[in-house]
């Protein structure tokens, strides 16, 4: 894992290949791509039909010869060829031509904490296929900490929680490095799955994949707490008849259904705190936890963590793009490393 700021300053673009969304930051141009990590392929011809938001809208609505695929799963590239084709399409001809003019094209990429060498290799191969001569890998936790403005380079503890689609990563950072970290295989998708299963068993209703988010938003206001709305109407398909049906869903029962995956996240936070040196834990009592990632916006999640841990919990200003913006800050040299005074003492 490369953490050298000097090497990162030489990079021309940065990529955050997430399970839910792909983001690309180009030095000097800023964030130019923020699209779902989805591609639609014609299985007869092998041609790419759509990528990004348009491909995501096609999920569950296509004829048999069109397949909607996700080349990234759990923050790891599982189909290198499709990931390259998707990235080329998302970048567009103009940006690709600009990047190809660089004599020694360098790229930076986020990788999940404790990702294995095979997963790192897949990320590198994907960007090499786009023309990168060298690829620098940065831990997502470090990049997200920089992106949300945490003083990661200072000798003081900061706790960050990256709430992704496939996993939640929790870490304590100090002096620009990870002191202790935990990767919990529970993310936004696990919460969606818990809601879908609950509706299937309790109401015999099959929910379209696009309808899970509106249900989560129905918990808005006080979200996961009991002060939220009592009932909300949901449209879906009857399991027995296959006909369209609407049901009034008790939001309290939905909150109970998603407690199981959220308990795993709380266990992970406790594990990180137990493994952390006491001096750093004392710092965290005042500073609390910084939440980043798309699933950090789940209504009421911050309030639930606050009650469970007794620590302050903050949500970053733009939580879903913190990691790629942190990479961008490193590329553009906006992060100054802590310089130790060798003459002292």
């Amino acid at each position: 894992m490369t953490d050298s700021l000097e090497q990162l300053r030489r990079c021309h673009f940065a990529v955050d290949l997430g399970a839910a969304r792909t983001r690309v930051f180009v030095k000097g141009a800023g964030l130019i791509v923020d699209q779902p990590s989805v591609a639609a392929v014609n299985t007869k011809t092998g041609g790419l039909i759509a990528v990004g938001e348009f491909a995501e809208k096609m999920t569950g609505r296509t004829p048999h010869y069109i397949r909607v695929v996700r080349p990234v799963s759990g923050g790891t590239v599982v189909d290198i060829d499709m990931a390259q084709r998707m990235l080329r399409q998302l970048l567009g001809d103009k940006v690709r031509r600009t990047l190809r003019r660089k004599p020694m094209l360098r790229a930076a990429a986020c990788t999940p904490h404790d990702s294995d060498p095979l997963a790192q290799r897949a990320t590198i191969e994907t960007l090499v296929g786009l023309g990168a001569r060298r690829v620098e890998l940065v831990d997502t936790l470090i990049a997200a900490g920089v992106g949300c403005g945490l003083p990661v380079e200072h000798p003081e503890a900061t706790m960050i929680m990256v709430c992704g689609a496939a996993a939640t990563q929790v870490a304590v950072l100090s002096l620009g490095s990870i002191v202790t970290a935990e990767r919990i295989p529970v993310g936004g998708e696990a919460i969606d799955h818990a809601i879908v299963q609950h509706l299937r068993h309790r109401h015999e209703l099959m929910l379209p994949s696009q309808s899970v988010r509106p249900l989560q938003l129905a918990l808005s206001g006080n979200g996961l707490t009991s002060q939220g709305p009592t009932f909300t109407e949901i449209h879906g398909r009857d399991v027995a008849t296959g006909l369209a049906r609407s049901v009034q869903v008790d939001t309290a029962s939905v909150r109970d259904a998603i407690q199981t995956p959220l308990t795993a996240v709380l266990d992970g936070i406790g594990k990180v705190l137990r493994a952390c040196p006491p001096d750093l834990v004392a710092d965290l009592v005042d500073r609390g936890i910084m939440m980043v990632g798309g699933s950090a916006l789940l209504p009421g999640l911050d309030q639930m963590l606050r009650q469970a841990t007794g620590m302050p919990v903050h949500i970053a200003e733009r939580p879903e793009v913190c990691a790629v913006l942190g990479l961008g800050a490193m590329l553009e040299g906006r992060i100054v490393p802590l310089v130790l005074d060798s003459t002292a003492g």
Side-chain angles (χ1 to χ4, degrees):
M1 198 70 74
T2 306
D3 286 328
S4 168
L5 287 172
E6 192 55 47
Q7 296 291 343
L8 286 168
R9 284 195 195 103
R10 297 176 186 171
C11 293
H12 302 99
F13 71 105
V15 177
D16 178 13
L17 276 167
R21 296 182 79 85
T22 293
R23 300 177 176 95
V24 181
F25 185 101
V26 175
K27 190 189 280 187
L31 183 64
I32 61 163
V33 172
D34 183 2
Q35 294 275 347
S37 306
V38 187
V41 187
N42 186 325
T43 54
K44 292 179 179 175
T45 63
L48 201 61
I49 295 171
V51 295
E53 285 178 1
F54 187 44
E56 189 175 51
K57 285 178 185 172
M58 294 165 72
T59 306
R61 303 167 187 265
T62 59
H64 67 91
Y65 62 90
I66 295 177
R67 193 162 57 98
V68 178
V69 296
R70 290 182 176 270
V72 184
S73 175
T76 302
V77 178
V78 292
D79 186 339
I80 294 173
D81 179 56
M82 189 54 66
Q84 288 173 354
R85 292 173 70 186
M86 180 186 76
L87 272 171
R88 284 193 199 102
Q89 195 76 20
L90 289 173
L91 284 170
D93 293 337
K94 188 178 176 184
V95 176
R96 290 211 322 272
R97 276 198 301 270
T98 306
L99 291 174
R100 274 203 299 264
R101 290 194 195 107
K102 310 287 183 190
M104 177 73 177
L105 185 62
R106 291 174 180 243
C110 288
T111 53
H113 180 67
D114 72 11
S115 58
D116 57 66
L118 201 62
Q120 294 180 18
R121 189 75 209 162
T123 303
I124 291 169
E125 289 289 333
T126 302
L127 297 183
V128 166
L130 287 176
R133 303 289 294 278
R134 182 177 172 129
V135 179
E136 307 291 342
L137 299 181
V138 179
D139 197 301
T140 303
L141 291 162
I142 298 284
V146 170
C148 65
L150 290 177
V152 293
E153 292 292 331
H154 293 243
E156 52 197 39
T158 51
M159 190 169 192
I160 189 163
M161 181 173 160
V162 179
C163 310
T168 300
Q169 302 171 70
V170 184
V172 174
L173 310 176
S174 182
L175 285 171
S177 298
I178 295 169
V179 178
T180 176
E182 191 70 31
R183 188 165 182 258
I184 308 127
V186 172
E189 289 173 356
I191 293 169
D192 292 351
H193 182 70
I195 292 172
V196 169
Q197 290 299 105
H198 166 74
L199 290 174
R200 189 183 179 105
H201 294 311
R202 178 70 65 88
H203 299 282
E204 296 187 342
L205 194 75
M206 284 182 72
L207 208 60
S209 57
Q210 313 285 331
S211 299
V212 180
R213 288 297 165 200
L215 179 54
Q216 289 186 0
L217 293 175
L219 298 172
S220 60
N222 292 305
L224 305 178
T225 59
S226 56
Q227 290 82 23
T230 311
F231 290 95
T232 184
E233 189 174 15
I234 293 294
H235 309 286
R237 192 178 80 186
D238 191 284
V239 171
T241 65
L243 300 175
R245 185 159 67 92
S246 298
V247 294
Q248 287 284 330
V249 177
D250 176 13
T251 51
S253 65
V254 175
R255 282 194 291 271
D256 292 340
I258 61 179
Q259 283 302 318
T260 305
L262 292 178
T263 302
V265 174
L266 290 174
D267 290 345
I269 293 172
K271 207 169 177 183
V272 168
L273 289 172
R274 284 193 297 274
C276 194
D279 290 346
L280 294 181
V281 175
D283 285 350
L284 296 173
V285 172
D286 300 324
R287 290 202 184 83
I289 305 169
M290 178 65 81
M291 292 173 63
V292 303
S295 299
L297 296 170
L298 182 66
L301 178 58
D302 56 329
Q303 197 170 330
M304 196 202 85
L305 290 175
R306 211 172 283 124
Q307 288 171 352
T309 61
M311 294 163 63
V313 178
H314 316 282
I315 299 177
E317 194 174 331
R318 295 175 65 193
E320 65 280 6
V321 293
C322 280
V324 74
L325 291 181
L327 275 181
M330 294 179 197
L331 259 62
E332 295 182 341
R334 283 179 281 162
I335 306 302
V336 181
L338 184 71
V339 179
L340 300 177
D341 186 2
S342 58
T343 61

